[in-house]
Amino acid sequence: MRLIMLGLPGAGKGTQAKWLAKAIKVPHISTGQIFRDALTNGTPLGLKAKSYTDDGNLVPDEIVIGIVVERLAAADCREQGFILDGFPRTLPQGEALDRWLTENNVRIDRVVELDVAPETVVTRLSGRRLCTGCGKDYNVHYRIPKVEGHCDYCNGELKRRTDDEPAAIRRRLEVDAAATRPLHDFYASRGNLLTVFGEDSIETVFRSILAHLGRTWEG
Ligand code: AMP
């Protein structure tokens, strides 16, 4: 199965993509995570992306498109499908993806859009803390670790992503609202856009997506 996740930053794309990838057994491709990993590994891509991601700006289309196209050509994506999380984020990215799909005779099954109010994502993102050890995410408002500042699973230190600072969140929301609206229209006109209310619990949203995809989940 091949899926695209759409939605504001903090709408839950990453979480739902992670659950879906496990349930339907396809690779989860998060462009944001690719940039964060590249930065952790100190690669030129990571350092270049940092100058954009830190302030909540988008990494230029040509960089992101190149990375995604290379990833989609890998054997696991060809054999199993994929879930794209955080890409496309602009209309030119959507158009470039479309050209690649056509050239490679690949079809997207569903574009899953998570519908969440901007006020909700500000609360979610400003409270988000990630474990520097295992990547597990917490939230100071509602997913609170047992010991403040430390991961329940590996005791790693919990940190806020640089782009979850309030000024960067505001910038990300502005940038995304402008860039992703045309993408919504682009996919809506093709008839494979599935919009799901994203403010329920993670499990409720997940079950709703699976039901629309005609899949069941044993938990
Ligand atoms: P995310 O983890 O999806 O919130 O992405 C974190 C940051 O990575 C974004 O705020 C952007 O700076 C950058 N980024 C991720 N995906 C893209 C993309 N498709 N186009 C441009 N920038 C991106």
Side-chain angles (χ1 to χ4, degrees):
M1 187 173 287
R2 298 179 194 90
L3 302 175
I4 293 175
M5 307 294 299
L6 291 187
L8 290 173
K13 299 188 295 292
T15 305
Q16 292 298 331
K18 237 183 251 167
W19 285 44
L20 284 166
K22 226 175 172 179
I24 60 181
K25 300 186 178 56
V26 295
H28 168 200
I29 303 171
S30 154
T31 40
Q33 194 60 46
I34 291 174
F35 295 134
R36 285 186 289 280
D37 289 345
L39 184 61
T40 306
N41 295 327
T43 67
L45 170 69
L47 296 173
K48 187 153 194 198
K50 182 177 161 59
S51 59
Y52 301 96
T53 56
D54 269 2
D55 297 330
N57 290 313
L58 293 178
V59 176
D61 285 339
E62 60 277 13
I63 299 179
V64 194
I65 292 166
I67 290 167
V68 172
V69 161
E70 193 179 314
R71 181 66 189 86
L72 293 183
D76 59 345
C77 292
R78 290 211 169 260
E79 286 155 19
Q80 301 158 32
F82 50 78
I83 301 179
L84 280 173
D85 156 21
F87 181 94
R89 238 183 174 103
T90 64
L91 190 55
Q93 291 179 15
E95 290 167 342
L97 175 64
D98 225 45
R99 282 193 294 279
W100 185 89
L101 293 168
T102 307
E103 281 161 15
N104 289 276
N105 206 15
V106 174
R107 205 174 46 83
I108 296 291
D109 295 286
R110 276 302 181 106
V111 179
V112 181
E113 178 182 57
L114 297 173
D115 182 20
V116 173
E119 311 82 73
T120 307
V121 305
V122 172
T123 310
R124 287 184 181 179
L125 295 174
S126 60
R128 178 161 69 178
R129 301 291 182 272
L130 297 178
C131 173
T132 49
C134 67
K136 172 103 187 102
D137 64 313
Y138 294 84
N139 195 292
V140 297
H141 304 299
Y142 50 80
R143 203 175 312 132
I144 301 163
K146 291 188 188 112
V147 177
E148 198 187 328
H150 289 276
C151 178
D152 293 349
Y153 297 91
C154 74
N155 200 38
E157 191 190 350
L158 303 187
K159 278 208 169 145
R160 189 185 230 176
R161 265 170 53 172
T162 324
D163 59 350
D164 283 343
E165 298 293 338
I169 293 174
R170 278 194 296 279
R171 177 77 191 136
R172 284 163 72 197
L173 289 177
E174 264 170 40
V175 165
D176 252 70
T180 58
R181 183 74 216 176
L183 266 184
H184 165 97
D185 298 342
F186 180 71
Y187 288 117
S189 70
R190 297 170 170 226
N192 63 350
L193 182 67
L194 165 68
T195 302
V196 174
F197 179 65
E199 299 207 18
D200 287 328
S201 71
I202 294 173
E203 189 174 325
T204 303
V205 175
F206 177 61
R207 285 187 184 281
S208 159
I209 298 172
L210 275 189
H212 283 288
L213 298 177
R215 300 289 184 108
T216 51
W217 183 59
E218 304 313 323

